[in-house]
Amino acid sequence: MGEAVKLPMRRGFGATDRIDAWWKGPTAMAIYLGIMVVYATWRGFMEADFWLFSEFGRSAGVQTMAIENQGSHVLSPLFSPLIIPGGDGLGGPIPEFMWWMSPAMFILIFPAGFRGTCYYYRKAYYRAFFHQPTACAVSKPWNEYKGETKLLLVQNLHRYFLYAALAYLPLLSYDVWLSINFHDPVTHAHTYGISIGTLVLLLNVIMLSGYALGCHAFRHLVGGGSNDWTSSGMARLKYKLWNFSTYLNVHHKEWALYSLFWVMFADFYIYACTMDWWTDIVLWGGL
Ligand code: FES
């Protein structure tokens, strides 16, 4: 067996022969992902009635999960499907000792798990937060590399989180539908309308569809096991789906980053409207 040949690479934290600004990407990513995680956590806990958030959300007697004051129901994607612990709907069976939890806490595990195990995000946060690696041809604080072993085997759950993510798409589409249905609370008259909130939710579904349908696991699911694209209608359909997924997959990074921003923005938009900072203007129809 031959001897290991050492790469001609400088050693020491951040040492490198690179002359470009290699640190900009991981630093920007750490800031971006950090802000998104803090925001989602803050919003999730806000509706959990902690004293820390007593000026906001349910603690202050205001629900900040959905805009209701226009006669429609514009629900934040962070709280969809809406599970109110102990309520009449989906949260009815939740035992009383868990009623302190926010509706978001019951569901965020799935989108968070999907993004946390995404192939693109793994690359991004391994570099941004853990220096595994720091960057190409840049020395890192430690030298060993064990790959995705031991605890990181949990990343293999990505394909299962994909199924959950795919199930979200019709749920979030249903929220768009609810947002265009207006009901007068006094006369019970029903009509249709479109508000800015509707467009925000619609764009959210489009962005998440672009992200989920371009997922590497989805691409494999629809075409990975096939070596026949032409012999039957099903084979041709699979080929079309695989091609479409490939088309989205080329820009998976952009779909991943922009869709994350838009989910958070959609939630913030709804939060701002429920706090009366902004108004959800009805652009067409409505009451
Ligand atoms: S690889 Fe990114 S969502 Fe599946």
Side-chain angles (χ1 to χ4, degrees):
M1 210 167 112
E3 284 182 22
V5 178
K6 287 228 172 5
L7 288 172
M9 196 170 112
R10 295 175 60 188
R11 297 280 160 199
F13 181 27
T16 183
D17 286 322
R18 287 176 64 167
I19 57 170
D20 61 331
W22 59 266
W23 49 271
K24 277 190 182 171
T27 306
M29 187 58 65
I31 294 170
Y32 177 70
L33 293 180
I35 290 172
M36 295 298 147
V37 169
V38 168
Y39 177 79
T41 308
W42 179 67
R43 281 291 282 143
F45 275 81
M46 178 189 292
E47 294 292 347
D49 276 347
F50 284 105
W51 64 269
L52 194 59
F53 302 106
S54 57
E55 298 295 316
F56 306 94
R58 286 197 296 159
S59 310
V62 185
Q63 68 81 17
T64 64
M65 299 169 279
I67 305 169
E68 309 273 11
N69 61 359
Q70 308 273 22
S72 64
H73 181 73
V74 185
L75 177 63
S76 160
L78 292 190
F79 294 89
S80 179
L82 192 52
I83 300 173
I84 305 277
D88 293 337
L90 295 174
I94 294 174
E96 198 169 342
F97 74 91
M98 295 173 79
W99 286 5
W100 61 272
M101 286 177 70
S102 145
M105 290 178 183
F106 294 102
I107 48 176
L108 276 185
I109 181 77
F110 297 107
F114 184 52
R115 289 188 187 265
T117 57
C118 162
Y119 300 176
Y120 169 70
Y121 277 114
R122 274 144 73 175
K123 175 212 162 194
Y125 71 78
Y126 285 170
R127 290 178 183 223
F129 294 125
F130 304 113
H131 291 271
Q132 286 284 24
T134 299
C136 291
V138 177
S139 185
K140 56 185 180 178
W142 41 82
N143 280 325
E144 95 251 41
Y145 174 70
K146 297 205 174 79
E148 291 182 312
T149 54
K150 299 184 179 170
L151 258 186
L152 287 179
L153 286 176
V154 77
Q155 304 284 25
N156 291 333
L157 293 177
H158 185 61
R159 74 193 68 173
Y160 301 106
F161 280 120
L162 166 71
Y163 303 144
L166 293 176
Y168 266 75
L169 298 179
L171 288 173
L172 295 173
S173 303
Y174 181 64
D175 290 338
V176 178
W177 168 249
L178 290 183
S179 77
I180 66 173
N181 280 272
F182 287 68
H183 297 271
D184 189 312
V186 180
T187 64
H188 300 293
H190 169 261
T191 184
Y192 296 105
I194 293 177
S195 70
I196 293 178
T198 308
L199 301 181
V200 169
L201 293 190
L202 179 62
L203 191 54
N204 185 49
V205 173
I206 293 171
M207 304 275 271
L208 289 179
S209 300
Y211 174 50
L213 301 182
C215 166
H216 295 72
F218 180 76
R219 188 167 169 268
H220 178 77
L221 182 71
V222 294
S226 300
N227 53 14
D228 162 24
W229 297 123
T230 54
S231 68
S232 65
M234 181 54 80
R236 288 189 289 277
L237 177 66
K238 286 177 83 173
Y239 180 61
K240 279 188 181 154
L241 282 172
W242 178 83
N243 247 342
F244 179 61
S245 184
T246 303
Y247 172 76
L248 294 172
N249 184 266
V250 171
H251 294 290
H252 193 56
K253 168 186 171 182
E254 286 78 14
W255 286 111
L257 295 179
Y258 299 152
S259 65
L260 178 62
F261 172 80
W262 200 257
V263 173
M264 299 305 163
F265 175 77
D267 175 76
F268 182 77
Y269 176 82
I270 286 155
Y271 172 54
C273 289
T274 59
M275 298 297 282
D276 287 334
W277 301 337
W278 294 347
T279 302
D280 184 31
I281 297 168
V282 179
L283 302 170
W284 170 81
L287 297 177

